[in-house]
């Protein structure tokens, strides 16, 4: 049996990356009602709510704006940090020194003002960061880095051509985007996208899913027409047969 992957198999594998293969027949069935297709067509074959896909808990609540005050505060804080670093051209050391100066000034005023109004000055609260915090941060960051490296190695050595091409394409896209923006801007764009796209998708998920399915179905039809008229007429070498 020949081990050579045909062009048609490649395009079908690409489509299967975005949609569930078992439900791909809905690409070509225009006579179904929108209510039925909205219940079947879900990106990536998703069966669970968006909140559950995002991991649930407080992080998903923030991304989906369950508490608008917290979500707005997080997004505003990220915007302020981006403006300071990108527009005002501050660097991390400058921000750190200014923050330490403000903290020391507040403690200085507190300690001296309390002595003026009270017979005995009140104790200024000490800021002490627990050592477990840094250990947990290092553990989480190290685990994420190792997980990413393990995924890249599995994609390179796993023998899955589709996964390998998708990963390489994403890395090339990241390299191109890196030439357009600096690292801080890329992080900020990703942060804003994470706080806007999920909630918009949850609100309009039926429209988005149906639109993506129609686009992928048209791409598949166009490729089949191209394969029938052009690609299938190209002479192909005989693959090696194995017993």
């Amino acid at each position: 049996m020949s081990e050579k992957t045909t062009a048609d198999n490649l395009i079908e594998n690409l489509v299967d990356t975005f949609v569930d293969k078992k439900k791909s027949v809905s690409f070509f069935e225009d006579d179904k009602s929108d209510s039925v297709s909205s219940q079947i067509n879900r990106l990536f074959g998703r069966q669970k709510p968006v909140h559950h896909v995002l991991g649930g808990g407080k992080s998903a609540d923030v991304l989906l704006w369950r508490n608008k005050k917290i979500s707005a505060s997080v997004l505003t804080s990220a915007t302020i940090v981006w403006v300071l670093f990108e527009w005002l051209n501050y660097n991390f050391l400058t921000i750190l020194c200014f923050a330490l100066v403000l903290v020391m000034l507040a403690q200085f005023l507190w300690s001296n003002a309390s002595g003026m109004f009270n017979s005995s000055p009140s104790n200024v609260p000490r800021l002490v960061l627990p050592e477990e915090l840094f250990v947990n941060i290092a553990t989480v960051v190290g685990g994420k880095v190792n997980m990413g490296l393990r995924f890249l190695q599995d994609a390179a050595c796993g023998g899955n051509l589709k996964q390998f091409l998708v990963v390489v394409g994403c890395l090339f896209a990241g390299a191109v985007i890196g030439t357009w923006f600096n690292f801080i801007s890329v992080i900020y764009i990703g942060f804003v996208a994470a706080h806007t796209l999920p909630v918009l998708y949850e609100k309009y998920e039926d429209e988005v899913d149906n639109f993506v399915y129609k686009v992928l179905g048209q791409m598949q039809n166009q490729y089949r027409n191209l394969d029938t008229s052009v690609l299938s007429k190209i002479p192909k070498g005989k693959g090696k047969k194995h017993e």
Side-chain angles (χ1 to χ4, degrees):
M1 181 178 181
S2 175
E3 295 181 353
K4 183 178 180 180
T5 305
T6 63
D8 186 65
N9 289 333
L10 287 177
I11 194 64
E12 290 181 356
N13 290 336
L14 181 61
V15 172
D16 292 342
T17 304
F18 298 96
V19 295
D20 190 4
K21 186 176 181 180
K22 293 181 180 180
K23 302 169 186 175
S24 60
V25 294
S26 61
F27 289 165
F28 313 106
E29 295 178 0
D30 296 331
D31 56 339
K32 287 187 175 181
S33 63
D34 293 338
S35 60
V36 176
S37 61
S38 64
Q39 296 176 358
I40 297 178
N41 298 340
R42 290 292 180 234
L43 292 181
F44 313 106
R46 178 174 59 84
Q47 300 292 335
K48 299 178 181 179
V50 179
H51 186 272
H52 189 278
V53 173
L54 294 177
K58 295 182 179 180
S59 59
D61 292 339
V62 173
L63 294 177
L64 295 176
W65 293 70
R66 294 289 192 265
N67 190 325
K68 295 183 179 180
K69 292 183 178 180
I70 297 178
S71 299
S73 300
V74 172
L75 189 58
T76 302
S77 301
T79 302
I80 293 174
V81 172
W82 178 74
V83 169
L84 289 175
F85 284 103
E86 183 65 18
W87 282 11
L88 302 181
N89 294 324
Y90 283 98
N91 53 48
F92 178 75
L93 182 60
T94 303
I95 298 296
L96 179 62
C97 291
F98 282 162
L100 293 177
V101 167
L102 292 176
V103 172
M104 292 180 62
L105 181 61
Q107 291 187 334
F108 176 81
L109 294 176
W110 188 330
S111 61
N112 288 276
S114 61
M116 294 175 59
F117 295 101
N118 300 325
S119 57
S120 60
S122 61
N123 294 326
V124 179
R126 297 289 181 174
L127 299 178
V128 179
L129 297 178
E131 296 181 358
E132 292 79 6
L133 175 64
F134 300 98
V135 174
N136 293 333
I137 292 176
T139 302
V140 172
V141 172
K144 295 298 183 181
V145 171
N146 288 330
M147 183 174 63
L149 293 176
R150 185 164 53 250
F151 173 77
L152 294 177
Q153 292 175 351
D154 292 340
C157 305
N160 190 333
L161 179 61
K162 177 183 66 176
Q163 186 183 49
F164 176 77
L165 293 178
V166 170
V167 172
V168 171
C170 291
L171 292 177
F172 270 112
V176 173
I177 293 174
T179 61
W180 299 342
F181 309 97
N182 57 30
F183 182 73
I184 296 297
S185 296
V186 171
I187 295 298
Y188 177 70
I189 292 173
F191 192 86
V192 173
H195 283 76
T196 53
L197 296 182
V199 65
L200 291 176
Y201 174 72
E202 185 184 41
K203 186 175 181 179
Y204 304 103
E205 58 179 336
D206 292 338
E207 292 82 355
V208 174
D209 289 343
N210 291 331
F211 174 76
V212 173
Y213 264 72
K214 290 179 181 179
V215 171
L216 292 176
Q218 293 177 1
M219 291 174 58
Q220 194 175 41
N221 285 333
Q222 293 296 329
Y223 174 79
R224 287 177 177 175
N225 294 333
L226 179 64
D227 182 49
T228 302
S229 59
V230 179
L231 298 180
S232 61
K233 298 180 181 179
I234 299 177
K236 299 179 181 179
K238 296 181 178 180
K240 294 181 180 180
K241 295 183 179 180
H242 298 275
E243 296 180 356

